[in-house]
Amino acid sequence: MKYTSISHIEKLKANGEKFSCLTAYDATFAGVMSEVGIDMILVGDSLGNVIQGQKTTVPVTLEQMEYHIDCVSRGNQNCLIAGDMPYMSYSTPEEAYDTARRIMQAGAQMVKLEGGAWLLDTIQGLTVRGIPVCAHLGLTPQSVDALGGFKVQGRDQDTAEILLDDAKKLEAAGARMLVLECVPSELAKKVAEELVIPVMGIGAGVDVDGQVLVLHDMLGISPFQAKFVRNFMADANGDIKAAIELYHQEVKAKNFPAPQHSFD
């Protein structure tokens, strides 16, 4: 069985090709995504919102993340799996090492964590220990209370410069991938151009290297639809597998996200 590797995603970026990612939380959807050809699955702490009915991702526990990663890994055939490290499970480097061990042993091939320059020592430590890291900047859902809500980040020059500087520092520390969430398209494009590592966007425009959406959002079954979401199931006449395949095709063809799904 051949799995998509981080190196494969890096080659896609080097060749100017886009990669697709969706969240999944169970074996069945992981199997569908594998069959369709989705490049990467994120087992996100977004499960707190779409599976548990929580208002934020903060209540999600490490044990719950392990359970869902294990489920996804059983159904997966070829996608790269990244697993979120949940709220306050990586507040120190030592805590992060133990959390990452558990995430990886549950079946992930990469861990994702939210935050900027304060994570540099942690990312360096994870990297030298052989744990691939995906960083996350912009709107960081675990910090939504500190951010004052779900708001676009990096819209003024000062915060944009900080975000770009943090992105470069995270890459230098050893991060193998970066997620940008709810960031103006021009800023996201600049980050993707200046970093060697793949940059994946959610609400960050079409000029990053890959796209990720929450599964329930792109199927149009979440109670709230953000500006950056497209209802692919409506476009696929209610066929779930066709909707996932359409998403994959539209990302690869650089048709998604369109301007109406992006921020100025």
Side-chain angles (χ1 to χ4, degrees):
M1 187 180 299
K2 184 176 181 181
Y3 289 94
T4 298
S5 66
I6 300 167
S7 297
H8 174 71
I9 302 291
E10 291 169 341
K11 288 178 182 176
L12 290 177
K13 170 165 183 161
N15 293 334
E17 300 177 51
K18 304 295 185 181
F19 67 94
S20 63
C21 179
L22 284 172
T23 65
Y25 316 98
D26 62 41
T28 301
F29 272 107
V32 172
M33 292 176 192
S34 295
E35 186 177 347
V36 163
I38 295 290
D39 295 301
M40 180 174 173
I41 291 173
L42 171 63
V43 186
D45 57 4
S46 51
L47 69 90
N49 306 110
V50 299
I51 302 295
Q52 299 175 341
Q54 305 283 5
K55 292 182 179 179
T56 72
T57 62
V58 169
V60 177
T61 67
L62 178 55
E63 290 76 17
Q64 290 165 350
M65 289 303 308
E66 289 177 291
Y67 170 80
H68 287 279
I69 291 168
D70 180 45
C71 290
V72 167
S73 68
R74 294 176 192 222
N76 180 46
Q77 300 298 316
N78 47 45
C79 306
L80 174 69
I81 298 177
D84 269 338
M85 296 172 66
Y87 178 73
M88 290 299 290
S89 69
Y90 49 97
S91 55
T92 67
E94 291 72 24
E95 189 174 27
Y97 303 154
D98 186 60
T99 298
R101 172 186 61 80
R102 292 173 61 175
I103 294 288
M104 297 289 282
Q105 287 181 335
Q109 288 98 40
M110 171 177 265
V111 301
K112 184 172 79 65
L113 64 177
E114 301 177 5
W118 70 273
L119 282 170
L120 297 180
D121 289 343
T122 295
I123 291 174
Q124 288 174 342
L126 289 168
T127 300
V128 299
R129 287 163 175 79
I131 298 173
V133 175
C134 177
H136 185 148
L137 291 174
L139 173 60
T140 47
Q142 292 176 11
S143 307
V144 68
D145 293 321
L147 294 173
F150 295 91
K151 300 178 180 179
V152 179
Q153 304 295 305
R155 271 191 155 151
D156 61 80
Q157 183 174 348
D158 289 343
T159 56
E161 288 177 356
I162 291 171
L163 188 148
L164 177 59
D165 184 60
D166 278 351
K168 292 179 178 179
K169 288 177 178 176
L170 292 167
E171 178 180 61
R176 299 287 299 274
M177 191 178 293
L178 174 66
V179 170
L180 292 178
E181 182 168 357
C182 290
V183 170
S185 298
E186 285 302 313
L187 174 58
K189 179 181 179 181
K190 185 175 179 63
V191 173
E193 288 175 346
E194 297 202 16
L195 266 57
V196 175
I197 61 174
V199 177
M200 181 164 60
I202 176 168
V206 74
D207 293 311
V208 290
D209 306 304
Q211 300 293 332
V212 59
L213 283 179
V214 172
L215 172 66
H216 296 62
D217 292 348
M218 59 82 66
L219 292 178
I221 57 175
S222 295
F224 172 74
Q225 289 291 91
K227 172 184 170 69
F228 55 78
V229 174
R230 173 177 159 188
N231 186 338
F232 283 89
M233 190 150 74
D235 296 336
N237 298 315
D239 186 318
I240 291 176
K241 182 178 177 182
I244 293 172
E245 188 167 15
L246 178 62
Y247 166 77
H248 176 67
Q249 292 170 347
E250 291 287 82
V251 169
K252 292 289 189 180
K254 307 179 186 179
N255 293 329
F256 178 80
Q260 65 264 32
H261 306 118
S262 306
F263 300 102
D264 297 327

